Amino acid sequence: AVPCGGDYIIGNMGDLAAAAQCESIAGTLWFDALPWLTEVDLPCLVSVGDALVLEDNDALTTVSLPAVETVGASLKIERNDALISVSLPALTEVDYELYVYDNDALTGFDAPALMTVGQGLYFTGNAVMTSIQLPALERVRGWTEFVTNASLTRIDLRSLVVVHSDVYVTYN
């Protein structure tokens, strides 16, 4: 694995293969509206300097980022209709916002090592999500929202001690 500069905007299998060689990406890593994308598996990636975005990928079922520890801006996982699994076991910090929006098949979200979110934490419109597991999360420096996740029955925030704004848990 090697450090990679700039942004990686994935448009084809070659772009994905190139990103798979990266230990770090200095800019943004973006997966947007890729009808062929069924899986994101980047076992070497440890950090993304800017945003990590997975949005509007209708065939995406699995995201495996086992070594990612930090995201320098936002982590957005939104409108991936077939997404059933997200693995982020090493993630400790998201410097800006964590968005998990409108993923119709996602039943749970587990980031067991996540300790800090620099701004907002948003889980909204994930219709079949039953569980959100953030057991190490200690600090959110902005809004925290769990809204319209119709099947949600469990939120684990056992270590949360500081939220610098409002917390909304509604319509779940």
Side-chain angles (χ1 to χ4, degrees), residues 123 132 144-149 152-155 157 160 166-172:
F123 286 81
I132 299 169
T144 300
E145 296 182 2
F146 304 96
V147 179
T148 61
N149 301 292
L152 189 62
T153 59
R154 179 171 169 78
I155 304 171
L157 297 169
L160 188 62
D166 295 333
V167 176
Y168 292 96
V169 181
T170 58
Y171 304 109
N172 296 298

Side-chain angles (χ1 to χ4, degrees), residues 22-35:
C22 297
E23 175 184 43
S24 61
I25 293 176
T28 294
L29 176 57
W30 200 307
F31 300 84
D32 182 24
L34 302 169

Side-chain angles (χ1 to χ4, degrees), residues 18-90:
Q21 302 305 311
C22 297
E23 175 184 43
S24 61
I25 293 176
T28 294
L29 176 57
W30 200 307
F31 300 84
D32 182 24
L34 302 169
W36 53 267
L37 186 66
T38 59
E39 179 180 24
V40 173
D41 183 17
L42 300 173
C44 297
L45 187 63
V46 174
S47 67
V48 177
D50 199 1
L52 173 54
V53 180
L54 298 116
E55 63 185 5
D56 298 315
N57 299 292
D58 292 339
L60 181 62
T61 60
T62 306
V63 174
S64 178
L65 302 168
V68 170
E69 297 173 359
T70 60
V71 175
S74 294
L75 172 55
K76 294 184 179 184
I77 303 170
E78 52 192 9
R79 297 180 308 273
N80 300 291
D81 294 340
L83 184 61
I84 57 173
S85 175
V86 175
S87 177
L88 296 162

